[in-house]
């Protein structure tokens, strides 16, 4: 009897040792990979699906219908894709008008939806494309207009100022003062998460999209739509300078006053400061590109068409206006400097 018990105990011990040995060996380094193989802890993560233009426009149009916008549409055939956001949404843009670089007409860059919760501005870009560039293409004759209608698609769908990484794109551009002042300014603003500048300048794909458009097309001026501060801001040649203005400074400031007049002061020109990482700083201050920020009084999407009606004439007139011409060009955007600034330019998809 004792012998039977001892044999059974021996068998049990042997089985336990085999189990322990087998479990241990399964966790040993693989001779092929040199890394630990934990089968039970492996989790497969599906890669982000990059949406096609049709998939993207279908979702955009659904959002438009939710806003009650039935006079505009996202047509996938009208847009180019530069890249995709971290959520897989296309970063779309298109160029309209002249294709001859020697024509001499002004090159305009129009931006909407930099802040995702300011959707009333997105309406302006799509209506510009529909009414002016397609319904009446003669209005864009002899000028070039580059339109990026939803710079921050992740924020647009989530109704957030920031992108999907929680970064304010208008604080993330690689300005010269970013490393020195971005976090100081953010701290003075009580570290508002809506205005988080990111961990480093130009860290966001949407920010690199903006610098790509600026460096590729070298616009004579930029018009960017925002809300809800309720004014027109100008950054560029002659900004915060009131005496001894040179010709370009006069013309750049005159255009701001002209927009104000053509909206019958619906947009009042103010001298609003720019910030580290902002478009006004990157384009207007550092690159001397006249940059006009339209700040509507409300972000309510139901006011989209009302605002377009109020600013349409002023915007069309501004797009045709020449700040830099054959008599004087923006020397910062000459070929040598542009090549140096193309660090963020990427191939189109």
């Amino acid at each position: 009897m004792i012998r039977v018990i001892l044999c059974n105990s021996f068998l049990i011990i042997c089985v336990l040792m085999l189990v322990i040995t087998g479990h241990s060996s399964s966790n040993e380094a693989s001779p092929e990979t040199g890394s630990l193989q934990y089968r039970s802890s492996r989790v497969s993560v599906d890669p982000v699906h990059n949406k096609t233009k049709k998939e993207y426009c279908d979702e955009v149009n659904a959002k438009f219908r939710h806003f009650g916008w039935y006079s505009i549409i996202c047509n996938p055939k009208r847009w180019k894709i530069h890249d995709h956001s971290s959520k897989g949404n296309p970063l779309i843009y298109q160029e309209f008008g002249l294709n001859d670089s020697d024509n001499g007409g002004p090159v305009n860059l129009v931006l909407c939806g930099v802040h995702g919760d300011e959707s009333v501005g997105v309406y302006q870009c799509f209506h510009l494309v529909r009414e002016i560039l397609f319904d009446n293409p003669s209005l864009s004759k002899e000028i070039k207009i580059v339109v990026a209608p939803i710079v921050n698609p992740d924020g647009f769908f989530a109704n957030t100022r920031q992108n999907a990484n929680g970064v304010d794109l208008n604080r993330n551009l690689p300005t010269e003062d970013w490393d020195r002042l971005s976090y100081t300014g953010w701290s003075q603003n009580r570290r508002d998460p809506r205005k988080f500048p990111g961990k480093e300048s130009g860290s966001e794909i949407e920010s690199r999209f903006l610098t790509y458009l600026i460096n590729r097309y070298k616009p004579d001026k930029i018009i960017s739509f925002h809300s809800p501060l309720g004014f027109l801001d100008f950054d560029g040649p002659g900004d915060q300078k009131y005496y001894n203005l040179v010709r370009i400074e006069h013309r750049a400031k005159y255009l701001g006053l002209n927009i104000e007049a053509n909206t019958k002061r619906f947009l009042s020109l103010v001298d609003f400061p720019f910030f580290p990482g902002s478009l006004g700083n990157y384009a207007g201050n550092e690159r001397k590109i006249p940059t006009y920020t339209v700040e509507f009084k409300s972000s309510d999407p139901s006011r989209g068409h009302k605002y377009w009606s109020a600013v349409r004439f002023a915007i069309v007139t501004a797009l045709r206006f020449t700040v830099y011409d054959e008599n004087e060009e923006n020397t910062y955007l000459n070929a040598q400097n542009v090549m140096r600034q193309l660090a963020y330019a990427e191939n189109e998809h």
Side-chain angles (χ1 to χ4, degrees), residues 9-197:
S9 299
F10 178 79
L11 289 173
I12 292 172
I13 292 172
C14 289
V15 170
L16 290 173
M17 290 181 67
L18 287 172
V19 171
I20 293 171
T21 303
H23 177 73
S24 176
S25 63
S26 68
N27 289 340
E28 291 177 356
S30 166
E32 297 180 356
T33 64
S35 60
L36 295 180
Q37 305 296 310
Y38 293 100
R39 295 181 183 177
S40 61
S41 63
R42 286 182 180 179
V43 178
S44 60
V45 178
D46 294 332
V48 174
H49 169 64
N50 285 338
K51 299 172 187 174
T52 65
K53 284 186 287 186
K54 184 182 183 308
E55 291 172 328
Y56 177 65
C57 278
D58 285 346
E59 293 187 22
V60 169
N61 289 328
K63 187 89 170 180
F64 286 178
R65 291 191 294 271
H66 174 73
F67 288 151
W69 297 348
Y70 297 101
S71 61
I72 58 173
I73 187 173
C74 178
N75 184 338
K77 295 180 181 180
R78 291 180 176 175
W79 303 103
K80 296 179 182 179
I81 296 179
H82 170 67
D83 211 323
H84 292 80
S85 70
S86 60
K87 292 288 187 181
N89 288 303
L91 303 179
I92 61 174
Y93 76 102
Q94 186 57 277
E95 54 187 286
F96 305 91
L98 64 90
N99 292 315
D100 184 359
S101 59
D102 296 327
N103 187 287
V107 178
N108 304 274
L109 176 59
V110 183
L111 305 171
C112 297
V114 172
H115 292 145
D117 58 354
E118 299 172 9
S119 55
V120 70
V122 171
Y123 185 94
Q124 315 307 310
C125 272
F126 278 93
H127 219 292
L128 172 69
V129 170
R130 175 211 149 173
E131 181 178 341
I132 297 178
L133 305 178
F134 283 93
D135 292 352
N136 193 355
S138 63
L139 292 174
S140 61
K141 187 178 180 181
E142 297 181 351
I143 65 174
K144 176 173 282 187
I145 307 171
V146 181
V147 180
I150 311 178
V151 174
N152 179 10
D154 294 349
F156 175 70
F157 288 125
N159 195 37
T160 60
R161 176 185 174 96
Q162 316 95 300
N163 70 354
N165 297 326
V167 175
D168 181 349
L169 302 179
N170 207 32
R171 300 292 186 274
N172 186 247
L173 293 174
T175 55
E176 296 172 1
D177 60 358
W178 198 94
D179 290 338
R180 181 168 51 91
L181 297 176
S182 61
Y183 274 82
T184 300
W186 187 49
S187 297
Q188 293 173 349
N189 202 27
R190 300 181 181 180
R191 292 181 175 264
D192 183 353
R194 298 177 69 253
K195 298 179 181 180
F196 176 56

Side-chain angles (χ1 to χ4, degrees), residues 294-311:
V294 174
E295 281 276 356
F296 293 120
K297 294 181 180 180
S298 172
S299 298
D300 183 355
S302 68
R303 300 190 181 186
H305 191 73
K306 174 185 176 181
Y307 288 161
W308 171 249
S309 299
V311 303

Side-chain angles (χ1 to χ4, degrees), residues 5 74 80 108 136 148 195 211 233 279 317 321 337 343:
I5 293 172
C74 178
K80 296 179 182 179
N108 304 274
N136 193 355
K195 298 179 181 180
T211 58
D233 181 35
L279 179 69
T317 303
F321 185 83
N337 280 324

Side-chain angles (χ1 to χ4, degrees), residues 265-278:
R265 297 189 65 82
F266 178 80
L267 295 174
S268 295
L269 185 64
V270 302
D271 199 356
F272 197 70
F274 51 75
F275 302 93
S278 69

